[in-house]
Amino acid sequence: MADSEAVLNRQDVRVHPPGPPGPPGHVDAEARYTDPDAGADIEWIPIEALVLSHSPRSAGENDEHTRVLAESPDELPPIVVQRGTNRVVDGVHRVRAAQLRGEQTVRARYFDGDDESAFVLAVRLNVRHGLPLSLADRKAAGGRILRERAEWSNRAIASAVGLSPKTIAALREAVGRPGGPARIGRDGRVRPVSTAAGRERAKEMLLRDPSSSLRAVSAVAGVSAGTVRDVRDRLHRESGAVASGPPRAPSARSADLPTARAAPPERDLSNRSNALLRSLRSDPSLRFNQSGRLLLSILAVAAMDPQAQDGLVLDLPDHCLDFVAELAQASVHAWQDLATRVSQRRSAPPDRQDFAANPGKRGNRGLTG
């Protein structure tokens, strides 16, 4: 599980994000047993003392893979062994390969953890390297982790077994382990499964004091800063709708204007955006200059279809959600400003289009000329 770490004791499993966000001295559990620079001490263990059972592979050992390893001229990487039981957590095929070579001992790193933690680590390592686990084995592993660690979030378990969070959600329903009102995420933080109550608390706090910071409301309401931002934005929209009052009767002049058409469905909008982008990409006046190519690349992001957006959001690490949401919101304002500038230039007379596109341009000439 690339985003969670089995704590080296017999009682607990903690989860941490990968890489720099972890606490000082943090070493990801997978790297600890695969990275020579970050790994635990290596020891030589007699093969006859090892226990080769409890593998997450339902089909058992793969003889062909064992022969390939045995015939390799390279030194076999260290295996992982659970301290106290000598059960091989990762590396059964390497042990069999060493036996075929006629060796009596193998290099190993000890894992200090209980059986449940050892199983999670075994799945993590077998998903990420060597002979990958089959889809059936990964689903079976997900079901077992759900039964033993129901408090883990779907994303945390998904990252452990190499499945999607949606698949884990379906497995959770099938095995009947909802996991309580809160779950442990990949970053080790406990979050409520439903944010409804937290959103209500955040709404009450923002109504009492609209100047409250996102972090302060987040800490008290028990929801993420991104959720608080969404609640605040909804309140702003609701207050704006109330301030605008009931719709006014159309004037005689406006009555002659054509009625605005209903917004097209989301799929139609996506299809039209893609068609417009293809048309612009075929225009030589844009393709063969730097400014045009930059514009085309930016417009390609705006024409992203909803499925691609869902994929990006689904793959986002939890600790990046607030930052991406804030940058995306800033992009909305930037796009609105660009649309305004283009509209101004489109409606301006030809001799004033430069000024419409850049209102400050004329004033700057006077200052620098």
Side-chain angles (χ1 to χ4, degrees):
M1 183 163 50
D3 300 304
S4 66
E5 176 183 4
V7 170
L8 305 184
N9 60 44
R10 296 182 179 274
Q11 300 297 327
D12 193 18
V13 171
R14 284 174 23 194
V15 208
H16 291 295
H26 162 71
V27 176
D28 180 76
E30 181 180 346
R32 180 177 178 84
Y33 299 102
T34 57
D35 185 353
D37 296 328
D41 293 337
I42 299 175
E43 301 183 25
W44 288 94
I45 300 179
I47 293 177
E48 64 179 12
L50 298 174
V51 178
L52 305 178
S53 62
H54 299 87
S55 170
R57 301 181 188 277
S58 59
E61 300 169 23
N62 186 304
D63 294 338
E64 178 65 23
H65 185 61
T66 298
R67 285 193 294 270
V68 170
L69 292 176
E71 294 172 4
S72 172
D74 300 328
E75 185 177 36
L76 296 174
I79 65 173
V80 180
V81 177
Q82 183 182 20
R83 194 187 301 276
T85 65
N86 274 5
R87 181 165 64 86
V88 176
V89 176
D90 179 59
V92 170
H93 287 102
R94 276 167 275 166
V95 174
R96 296 302 188 193
Q99 288 177 320
L100 287 179
R101 291 178 175 183
E103 298 171 358
Q104 303 298 317
T105 58
V106 292
R107 298 188 306 152
R109 288 190 172 104
Y110 276 111
F111 168 73
D112 296 278
D114 58 21
D115 291 344
E116 294 176 1
S117 302
F119 178 79
V120 173
L121 181 61
V123 174
R124 289 184 57 182
L125 297 177
N126 281 279
V127 165
R128 300 298 192 283
H129 71 85
L131 186 64
L133 291 176
S134 67
L135 177 60
D137 287 341
R138 282 181 279 143
K139 286 185 175 180
R144 173 172 169 176
I145 294 174
L146 275 168
R147 287 187 289 271
E148 297 174 350
R149 301 291 181 183
E151 72 277 10
W152 281 14
S153 71
N154 292 341
R155 288 178 180 273
I157 298 176
S159 66
V161 299
L163 295 171
S164 71
K166 289 184 178 180
T167 300
I168 297 300
L171 283 174
R172 185 185 292 275
E173 184 175 354
V175 300
R177 298 303 299 268
R183 295 177 188 164
I184 303 174
R186 293 183 300 177
D187 57 359
R189 296 174 59 186
V190 179
R191 295 181 177 87
V193 176
S194 172
T195 60
R199 294 177 74 92
E200 283 299 318
R201 288 193 295 270
K203 181 177 180 179
E204 294 173 1
M205 293 181 63
L206 290 171
L207 288 173
R208 287 197 303 266
D209 184 5
S211 63
S212 299
S213 70
L214 297 179
R215 291 186 180 277
V217 177
S218 171
V220 175
V223 293
S224 69
T227 300
V228 178
R229 182 184 292 108
D230 181 64
V231 173
R232 185 187 62 185
D233 293 343
R234 287 174 181 269
L235 288 175
H236 287 170
R237 290 194 295 269
E238 292 172 1
S239 62
V242 172
S244 63
R248 294 177 297 175
S251 63
R253 183 176 179 181
S254 64
D256 297 333
L257 297 177
T259 304
R261 292 178 298 176
E266 187 175 359
R267 183 180 298 275
D268 293 344
L269 283 174
S270 178
N271 292 339
R272 175 166 173 76
S273 297
N274 289 326
L276 292 174
L277 184 59
R278 287 194 297 269
S279 176
L280 289 175
R281 281 174 171 165
S282 64
D283 191 332
S285 63
L286 292 176
R287 292 169 52 199
F288 299 120
N289 69 81
Q290 183 176 358
S291 179
R293 288 193 295 270
L294 174 61
L295 179 62
L296 289 174
S297 65
I298 296 173
L299 292 174
V301 177
M304 185 188 312
D305 62 87
Q307 289 184 343
Q309 292 184 25
D310 290 342
L312 290 178
V313 173
L314 186 63
D315 293 337
L316 266 179
D318 290 344
H319 64 275
C320 296
L321 292 176
D322 290 346
F323 300 110
V324 174
E326 186 171 342
L327 289 172
Q329 191 64 39
S331 298
V332 171
H333 299 306
W335 277 108
Q336 289 174 340
D337 184 57
L338 177 62
T340 300
R341 289 172 177 269
V342 172
S343 298
Q344 289 174 344
R345 178 178 172 184
R346 184 175 55 185
S347 60
D351 60 340
R352 291 182 58 82
Q353 284 191 354
D354 285 343
F355 179 78
N358 189 358
K361 191 173 182 181
R362 181 174 296 180
N364 291 338
R365 285 177 179 172
L367 291 174
T368 58

